[in-house]
Amino acid sequence: MGQYKPKLILLESNDLVRDHAKSILIRAGWDVFCHQVSKDALDMLEQSREYLFALFISNFKLPEMEGDDILEKVKSISPVTQRMLIVPADRADILINAVNKAEIHACITFPFKDEDLIAQAGNCFKQFKMTLKRQRLKRVTAHQNKQMLEIAQKLKKKDDTYKELIEGKKEKKLTLASKIGKAERQKICDMSVSLAGMLEKKEVNPLPNAFYNEFLSLCTTIQDLFTKAISRRQPEPVPLNLEDILGRIRKTADGTLPKDEPVSSGLMEKILNSVFMQSMEMTHQDRKDRTEPGSTGTEKVDHFLDPYFKITVSDDRTKAYIEKIKEFDDNCPVPTVKDILALLREKQLVYGILDDDGIQIWISSSSFAEKIVIAQGEKPVYGQDGKIEYHFKTNFTNPGKINEDGTIDFRERGDIPYVLKGALLAEKTPPKQGRAGITVTGAPITVDEPVDPVFLAGSGAELSEDKLSICAVLDGQPHRDALGTISINPDLIIPGDIDFETGNIDFKGNIIVKGMVREGFSVKGINLTAKEIEGAFINISGDLNVSAGITDSKISAHGHIYAKYVNHSTIMGFQDLVIQKEIIDSDILLSGSCKNPTGHIISSRICAKLGIEAGKIGTSSSAPCKLKIGVDNHIETLKKQINEAMEGSLKKTGVLKSEIRKLEDQDQALYREISEKAHIQDRTQLEIKELKKALPDLQKSNDIIKLQEATHEVRKLLDRAKAAEKALNVIFDTQDKLANQIEQLKTEMGRTEEQNKAHMMEQQALASFSKKELPVPVLTVTGIITTDNHVKGPHTSIMLKENRSRCRIQEITTNENGMNYHEMIISDL
């Protein structure tokens, strides 16, 4: 099979069969891992991420769950792993169900021949390799498409931002270049170059030979000077030809130079000016060539150090290296720190540049030719998503086994987890925040926000103070609902029906009803098991198991729903709906799948994110079905309900705040009245005190009239004080009533705000749940689907124009030239 051994998991409870199959497969070149318990096998499959298992072989009959259910979980954990089922030779019905449910790739009957097992496993390995190859090709294509799209978007954005600016500045650049050239030429023309002054300074004798020799020396010096001056802007030296220079100054009519005319100092001054003019014209022409009309003005201008140094940038753009690749020469002496910095700016390296001292040490050292890190960015630190570790089985055998006739045997409940008070149920590892990085060009390297999973304690469970662990506060069954809430649930057993004798049931635990849930009654709890539901309202956070059927009822469940039939009912569920027979005139919204592979769907409206399986759909006389696949209207409906509830809560909060503010204003006004009445009391007491001081003097003077007047005034003041006190008591009573009303309103507002927080947490939980599974826009029909039935996917739809049998209807997406195209196709099974 190749140079390495492919891995497979063999799940078989029979020791003889397991050992025999293992020895056969090992001889065939497989690396075989054997298990007897489904949980151990599935855990190994889930933990093996780097080296995938090529094949998973399971027997149909196992202790905790059946083989097709196990292989269905294998499909969700590792879709590329091939799935093989071992079934008894006389159970063909098992094979059909396994193909529909788990989409198995191979099947072998027991007892089997050795060569048959080897051949089936070999074919599965070939398919596994082909699947991996297709996946890799899709990933590469998707990555390239994403890169091309990002590049195109960046270029378009940059072009839109700078195009107009570039056009405007190009005009200014040309104008400025013209002005600079003109100014430089005028400066040269205005310069006074005196040969006499130079000769006098150098103390040259005024003899013809001395003049001649000094003239040649001066020409050579000027030529070298200007060659070095412009060597960094153009590679060629300035051509100074004496005859050409003299020809520019003075020519005879026939174009020849007179040889007998002596060279005067004035002529020499003209020669010097001509040299300056020639060199400056060449420099100006070089500038003009670089900015001439027709160029964008943004062309890269090579730096004069480019031939001598090589700069490379790491793949993650956080490091830049520089190395010398050519020895320096006369045209380029050893560069300075400023030269190196200019070269880096030319390459758009602006962040984390090595300091000047470091660059100078490198230039001056003997290791100048070695490659060094010239710029250092900052690498991003990627955050880590939060994780939850559960210390109990979050997925176990359903409470009750479905028999062949569709009924449920309540005695076969399997292994249900049970914990004691104080047990640790779950632990949370909080998310770690990341940190953005910076490239050497100064561009930010963004990192995604880590995921913080929902971690809530329900009834019977308690969240620790640090919000990182949940423990049980009573004995019972641990349960985690679809939105992540963990609770402990004791069982409630109803021996008969839920009717007027029991009333409505609201129990925070598992409910087992031996009879039926009758019309008009409601049940709220965790898991519900019942014989039949008729005209009832069911709201549970776990699984619903109905041995007969559901009629004229409204169902909401976080877990799976099992029933023999559904008739004239409304169902909303987070997980799968599994029906044995018919679904008639019902409205169903599912975040999972609708599985009715042997039944009939008639006149119903079903929306299932993970697809629909049906035996038959529609009849010639019934109203057409409206089926949506790969669309999660269930979550959208819940989000809408939560938003409406939040809007109502916010309005209520606003009303409560307004009422509290009015009452507080009234209370504030009462304080002013209290101040006024208290002031009256104080003034009255002071006046009474003054009058009482005067009474002894009045008594001594025997002034009866004044004494009577003073006594009467004291009585009036006492009456006024009593009236003020009485008014104060009334005000205080009113204040007490206002304080009670304000407290009640604040309590109600606190409850409303808690509801808003709960709604926000529920929104977060819904968003987290919706990301767990990708949509599956597939409808599988094992029987017949009649005309006029309508099938709709996320982007397109189809209406059946003719009857079709044994077909698959699915929406496919193709990408052409960066555009996605969607199409609903029908293919045979």
Side-chain angles (χ1 to χ4, degrees):
M1 289 186 179
Q3 296 182 355
Y4 71 94
K5 289 184 178 182
K7 296 196 307 181
L8 70 78
I9 293 176
L10 176 59
L11 181 58
E12 172 59 72
S13 58
N14 188 301
D15 294 340
L16 293 175
V17 176
R18 185 177 62 254
D19 293 341
H20 179 64
K22 179 180 179 180
S23 63
I24 295 170
L25 293 167
I26 289 176
R27 287 199 304 270
W30 288 87
D31 192 3
V32 183
F33 296 83
C34 295
H35 292 282
Q36 302 180 51
V37 181
S38 58
K39 182 181 183 302
D40 296 338
L42 294 173
D43 287 345
M44 173 176 276
L45 179 68
E46 190 165 11
Q47 292 168 8
S48 179
R49 296 298 184 188
E50 296 181 357
Y51 185 18
L52 296 174
F53 282 94
L55 179 59
F56 191 110
I57 304 175
S58 174
N59 198 344
F60 177 75
K61 195 64 178 177
L62 291 163
E64 287 200 5
M65 67 176 75
E66 294 178 343
D68 54 349
D69 294 325
I70 295 170
L71 293 179
E72 186 178 17
K73 292 185 179 296
V74 171
K75 172 188 170 184
S76 63
I77 294 172
S78 178
V80 298
T81 299
Q82 301 292 294
R83 301 175 287 280
M84 182 189 296
L85 185 65
I86 302 175
V87 299
D90 57 346
R91 293 295 304 275
D93 58 322
I94 294 174
L95 177 58
I96 296 173
N97 194 45
V99 171
N100 293 331
K101 181 186 291 187
E103 295 184 3
I104 62 173
H105 302 94
C107 179
I108 190 167
T109 57
F110 180 83
F112 50 80
K113 296 180 180 179
D114 295 355
E115 56 268 25
D116 290 342
L117 179 60
I118 294 172
Q120 291 274 39
N123 289 333
C124 287
F125 183 58
K126 290 179 182 178
Q127 292 298 320
F128 171 76
K129 291 194 293 184
M130 289 297 295
T131 303
L132 284 182
K133 188 175 181 180
R134 285 194 297 270
Q135 279 196 347
R136 294 188 189 106
L137 182 60
K138 286 176 67 176
R139 284 198 300 269
V140 171
T141 304
H143 180 69
Q144 290 177 342
N145 288 340
K146 184 179 178 181
Q147 283 186 324
M148 293 297 292
L149 180 61
E150 289 176 354
I151 291 171
Q153 288 175 341
K154 288 179 181 179
L155 289 175
K156 185 176 185 305
K157 184 177 180 180
K158 186 175 181 180
D159 183 66
D160 293 342
T161 306
Y162 293 106
K163 188 174 181 179
E164 186 175 348
L165 183 62
I166 289 171
E167 290 296 326
K169 294 205 170 186
K170 181 169 53 172
E171 202 66 36
K172 293 181 180 179
K173 188 173 181 181
L174 292 172
T175 304
L176 288 173
S178 177
K179 289 181 178 179
I180 290 171
K182 185 177 180 180
E184 289 176 343
R185 289 193 300 273
Q186 184 63 40
K187 182 179 179 181
I188 295 300
C189 293
D190 295 340
M191 289 179 63
S192 177
V193 183
S194 173
L195 178 62
M198 294 178 66
L199 294 176
E200 183 180 351
K201 185 176 180 181
K202 297 184 71 174
E203 298 179 353
V204 177
N205 294 326
L207 298 174
N209 289 335
F211 276 119
Y212 179 76
N213 292 332
E214 192 61 31
F215 170 73
L216 294 178
S217 175
L218 184 59
C219 283
T220 303
T221 301
I222 293 172
Q223 182 176 5
D224 292 342
L225 173 65
F226 281 95
T227 298
K228 289 181 180 180
I230 66 171
S231 62
R232 295 186 178 186
R233 296 301 304 271
Q234 66 180 43
E236 299 297 330
V238 178
L240 294 179
N241 183 281
L242 182 58
E243 293 184 358
D244 288 345
I245 292 172
L246 294 175
R248 289 187 178 193
I249 300 169
R250 177 172 53 85
K251 288 186 178 182
T252 59
D254 58 357
T256 60
L257 287 171
K259 297 180 179 180
D260 55 349
E261 183 175 339
V263 178
S264 65
S265 60
L267 178 61
M268 290 300 298
E269 291 171 1
K270 291 181 181 180
I271 291 173
L272 292 175
N273 283 326
S274 179
V275 169
F276 279 105
M277 287 295 294
Q278 181 179 353
S279 61
M280 294 310 299
E281 284 176 2
M282 292 181 65
T283 303
H284 174 67
Q285 182 62 38
D286 177 65
R287 290 198 189 107
K288 184 178 179 182
D289 292 341
R290 294 172 186 268
T291 58
E292 64 182 359
S295 65
T296 62
T298 60
E299 288 85 353
K300 179 180 176 183
V301 179
D302 291 338
H303 196 274
F304 77 94
L305 289 179
D306 276 346
Y308 303 92
F309 289 96
K310 179 182 179 182
I311 294 179
T312 55
V313 180
S314 61
D315 292 339
D316 60 3
R317 310 288 295 172
T318 59
K319 280 187 179 180
Y321 304 89
I322 187 170
E323 61 178 321
K324 190 177 77 171
I325 58 176
K326 181 181 177 181
E327 293 298 329
F328 302 113
D329 49 32
D330 294 338
N331 292 331
C332 181
V334 176
T336 64
V337 173
K338 290 184 179 180
D339 294 331
I340 298 295
L341 293 176
L343 176 63
L344 296 178
R345 285 195 298 271
E346 183 73 27
K347 304 300 182 183
Q348 297 183 348
L349 302 178
V350 296
Y351 187 84
I353 304 297
L354 184 64
D355 60 84
D356 293 359
D357 292 339
I359 296 175
Q360 185 60 56
I361 291 172
W362 174 62
I363 293 173
S364 306
S365 67
S366 59
S367 59
F368 189 24
E370 294 182 4
K371 181 165 72 171
I372 65 165
V373 177
I374 195 67
Q376 176 80 55
E378 294 183 16
K379 291 189 175 183
V381 177
Y382 295 97
Q384 295 181 3
D385 293 342
K387 296 180 181 179
I388 298 176
E389 181 183 0
Y390 296 96
H391 297 280
F392 63 92
K393 278 187 175 182
T394 58
N395 191 8
F396 56 91
T397 304
N398 296 315
K401 179 176 175 58
I402 301 176
N403 297 321
E404 293 182 2
D405 60 357
T407 60
I408 296 178
D409 185 355
F410 297 106
R411 294 172 294 183
E412 296 291 336
R413 299 187 63 196
D415 183 15
I416 298 176
Y418 189 86
V419 298
L420 299 177
K421 179 180 178 180
L424 179 63
L425 300 176
E427 292 178 290
K428 176 181 176 179
T429 302
K432 292 184 179 179
Q433 292 291 331
R435 187 181 71 246
I438 303 177
T439 67
V440 289
T441 60
I445 306 174
T446 58
V447 295
D448 295 331
E449 284 291 321
V451 176
D452 188 6
V454 175
F455 194 60
L456 298 174
S459 62
E462 184 178 44
L463 187 65
S464 62
E465 291 185 4
D466 60 5
K467 313 294 184 185
L468 297 179
S469 63
I470 294 177
C471 294
V473 296
L474 50 84
D475 299 346
Q477 177 192 336
H479 171 74
R480 182 198 65 181
D481 67 18
L483 299 182
T485 302
I486 300 171
S487 56
I488 298 294
N489 317 308
D491 286 348
L492 173 65
I493 299 176
I494 307 294
D497 297 340
I498 292 181
D499 51 18
F500 287 101
E501 185 176 347
T502 63
N504 295 328
I505 301 295
D506 187 351
F507 179 69
K508 299 185 183 301
N510 298 328
I511 305 167
I512 301 174
V513 183
K514 299 293 186 179
M516 66 183 299
V517 184
R518 294 199 174 273
E519 183 178 358
F521 291 90
S522 65
V523 178
K524 187 175 182 180
I526 308 297
N527 297 311
L528 171 62
T529 301
K531 182 179 180 181
E532 189 175 354
I533 298 176
E534 183 175 340
F537 303 90
I538 310 296
N539 186 356
I540 59 174
S541 61
D543 292 343
L544 172 62
N545 293 271
V546 185
S547 58
I550 302 170
T551 305
D552 294 320
S553 299
K554 291 186 177 181
I555 310 293
S556 176
H558 284 208
H560 298 284
I561 302 172
Y562 301 90
K564 185 180 291 185
Y565 60 84
V566 175
N567 193 358
H568 295 87
S569 296
T570 300
I571 295 178
M572 296 180 67
F574 283 84
Q575 304 294 342
D576 299 338
L577 171 66
V578 181
I579 302 299
Q580 300 298 315
K581 292 187 177 180
E582 67 274 358
I583 301 174
I584 301 175
D585 196 18
S586 295
D587 293 282
I588 299 172
L589 297 178
L590 301 170
S591 294
S593 61
C594 179
K595 299 182 178 181
N596 187 17
T598 60
H600 201 162
I601 300 176
I602 303 172
S603 303
S604 295
R605 295 145 299 280
I606 302 176
C607 178
K609 177 184 177 181
L610 301 185
I612 300 173
E613 300 176 21
K616 297 179 182 179
I617 298 177
T619 66
S620 59
S621 58
S622 63
C625 296
K626 294 183 178 180
L627 309 177
K628 290 184 180 180
I629 49 178
V631 179
D632 199 349
N633 283 358
H634 170 243
I635 294 295
E636 295 303 319
T637 300
L638 292 178
K639 286 181 179 179
K640 184 178 179 181
Q641 292 174 354
I642 293 173
N643 288 336
E644 290 175 353
M646 289 186 67
E647 288 178 4
S649 296
L650 291 173
K651 288 181 181 178
K652 184 178 180 181
T653 301
V655 172
L656 291 173
K657 286 183 178 179
S658 177
E659 292 180 359
I660 290 172
R661 195 177 300 111
K662 289 179 181 178
L663 293 176
E664 288 176 342
D665 290 342
Q666 293 178 26
D667 189 52
Q668 189 66 29
L670 290 176
Y671 276 113
R672 288 194 292 270
E673 292 186 29
I674 289 172
S675 178
E676 292 173 1
K677 300 301 181 185
H679 181 68
I680 292 173
Q681 279 189 321
D682 291 341
R683 293 293 302 171
T684 301
Q685 294 297 330
L686 289 173
E687 291 179 11
I688 290 173
K689 188 176 181 181
E690 293 295 327
L691 287 172
K692 284 184 177 181
K693 285 182 180 179
L695 286 177
D697 294 336
L698 293 174
Q699 289 174 351
K700 289 179 180 180
S701 64
N702 291 321
D703 192 341
I704 304 298
I705 295 174
K706 289 186 175 180
L707 184 62
Q708 290 177 343
E709 289 178 351
T711 304
H712 180 69
E713 187 65 26
V714 169
R715 290 197 185 101
K716 284 175 61 178
L717 291 172
L718 288 172
D719 291 340
R720 187 186 301 172
K722 288 180 180 178
E725 184 177 1
K726 185 177 180 180
L728 279 174
N729 290 334
V730 173
I731 293 171
F732 288 144
D733 290 340
T734 304
Q735 270 194 324
D736 290 340
K737 292 178 181 178
L738 289 174
N740 289 333
Q741 291 178 3
I742 291 172
E743 188 63 30
Q744 290 176 0
L745 290 174
K746 286 184 175 180
T747 301
E748 188 175 357
M749 190 170 72
R751 286 196 297 266
T752 304
E753 289 176 346
E754 287 297 322
Q755 289 176 352
N756 285 336
K757 290 180 181 178
H759 290 321
M760 292 176 66
M761 290 295 295
E762 195 172 357
Q763 279 186 329
Q764 181 183 349
L766 288 174
S768 177
F769 177 83
S770 65
K771 295 177 181 178
K772 290 182 179 179
E773 297 280 355
L774 294 175
V776 181
V778 177
L779 167 65
T780 304
V781 183
T782 58
I784 297 176
I785 179 170
T786 60
T787 60
D788 296 333
N789 286 293
H790 188 262
V791 182
K792 185 176 181 180
H795 306 94
T796 185
S797 62
I798 189 173
M799 181 176 289
L800 275 294
K801 300 299 183 182
E802 60 182 0
N803 293 350
R804 292 294 297 264
S805 61
R806 291 189 54 78
C807 63
R808 178 182 286 110
I809 303 174
Q810 61 181 338
E811 180 180 292
I812 63 171
T813 302
T814 56
N815 185 285
E816 294 182 9
N817 300 323
M819 298 291 293
N820 288 330
Y821 298 92
H822 310 282
E823 181 183 8
M824 191 74 75
I825 64 170
I826 303 177
S827 59
D828 294 332
L829 291 179

